[in-house]
Amino acid sequence: QLAHAGPRASPARPLRPVGPSAVPHPAGGPPPVAMATPDVVALAGRFADAARRAVAAGFDAIEIHAAHGFLLSCFLSPLTNRRDDAYGGDADRRARLHVEIVRAVRAVVVGRVAVLVRLGVDDLAPGGIGVEEGAAVAARLVAAGADAIDVSGGLCGSRPAELSGQGFFVPQAEAVRRVAGVPVIGVGGVIDAEAARRFVADGRVDAIAVGRRLAAHPEWAREALGRA
């Protein structure tokens, strides 16, 4: 998973965090430094360099992190992107960096290595990106070369306080699946293998990603396969 933390980077570091605009992140902290246009343009090449290193190290897939209020998520959200250059304004411009990065990574990834995007399609905030707009961006990323879309939240992060239960981002993933044309992964507090199978069997998503449960219980996947 390749990511740029952007405004979510630790403020304890010597360099101040950067973002698309000098707008405070909803999660708090001082306003980031607005990136200069040449620095934004250079990001696609830097992600491609990172992907090249990952392939050389033997990874089978590259996931571009564009969710959870990290840098790419902030570029996509109108709440944090107030730019007036080619990377700000309407949804197409706010998604331009995403498209450039996917194309650059796709160009250096060959063979059986997949390119995925973890996309925050819903800020869950007034004035932020919503599911319809997020799904349209997902379709653009597929056209740019993404092999799968891993659907999560945008500025609201990976575990919004107002959402609960298992698969709480699955409804957003369903909307993306209707337009993506590639496998779509659902996420959100899934801890039970039967729930994961049900989401897939019902045709709502093509796969389920499990994170915290595996961190807490490393044998979860083995036990889930045993009950299949």
Side-chain angles (χ1 to χ4, degrees):
Q1 191 179 76
L2 307 181
H4 189 310
R8 303 303 303 274
S10 172
R13 301 297 180 186
L15 298 178
R16 188 171 165 189
V18 299
S21 304
V23 176
H25 193 280
V33 174
M35 296 181 69
T37 301
D39 293 331
V40 179
V41 173
L43 277 174
R46 291 177 177 177
F47 270 83
D49 288 343
R52 189 180 291 109
R53 290 192 294 269
V55 171
F59 285 94
D60 298 312
I62 305 293
E63 182 170 77
I64 299 163
H65 199 316
H68 307 166
F70 289 179
L71 184 65
L72 294 184
S73 180
C74 288
F75 264 89
L76 190 57
S77 176
L79 295 175
T80 45
N81 186 341
R82 310 286 176 80
R83 301 179 71 90
D84 58 7
D85 62 2
Y87 295 92
D90 62 20
D92 284 347
R93 288 173 175 261
R94 286 184 277 109
R96 177 174 177 167
L97 180 57
H98 297 61
V99 172
E100 290 178 352
I101 288 173
V102 169
R103 285 176 177 165
V105 170
R106 178 83 273 167
V108 302
V109 170
V110 295
R112 295 175 57 85
V113 177
V115 176
L116 300 81
V117 180
R118 185 165 191 128
L119 184 63
V121 303
D122 194 349
D123 286 340
L124 295 175
I129 187 173
V131 178
E132 183 177 352
E133 187 176 24
V137 170
R140 290 189 62 198
L141 300 184
V142 171
D147 295 305
I149 304 294
D150 184 359
V151 177
S152 192
L155 296 182
C156 59
S158 62
R159 186 178 283 274
E162 62 268 41
L163 299 183
S164 61
Q166 296 192 59
F168 47 75
F169 280 125
V170 167
Q172 287 87 340
E174 284 185 274
V176 172
R177 191 172 187 265
R178 287 193 287 268
V179 301
V182 297
V184 170
I185 303 167
V187 303
V190 176
I191 62 174
D192 180 69
E194 184 53 40
R197 279 195 291 269
R198 187 170 62 251
F199 289 132
V200 175
D202 290 347
R204 302 180 69 184
V205 295
D206 299 289
I208 287 290
V210 178
R212 292 178 178 86
R213 183 59 174 163
L214 277 170
H217 185 47
E219 294 298 313
W220 184 90
R222 189 187 307 276
E223 294 175 5
L225 287 170
R227 294 196 296 268

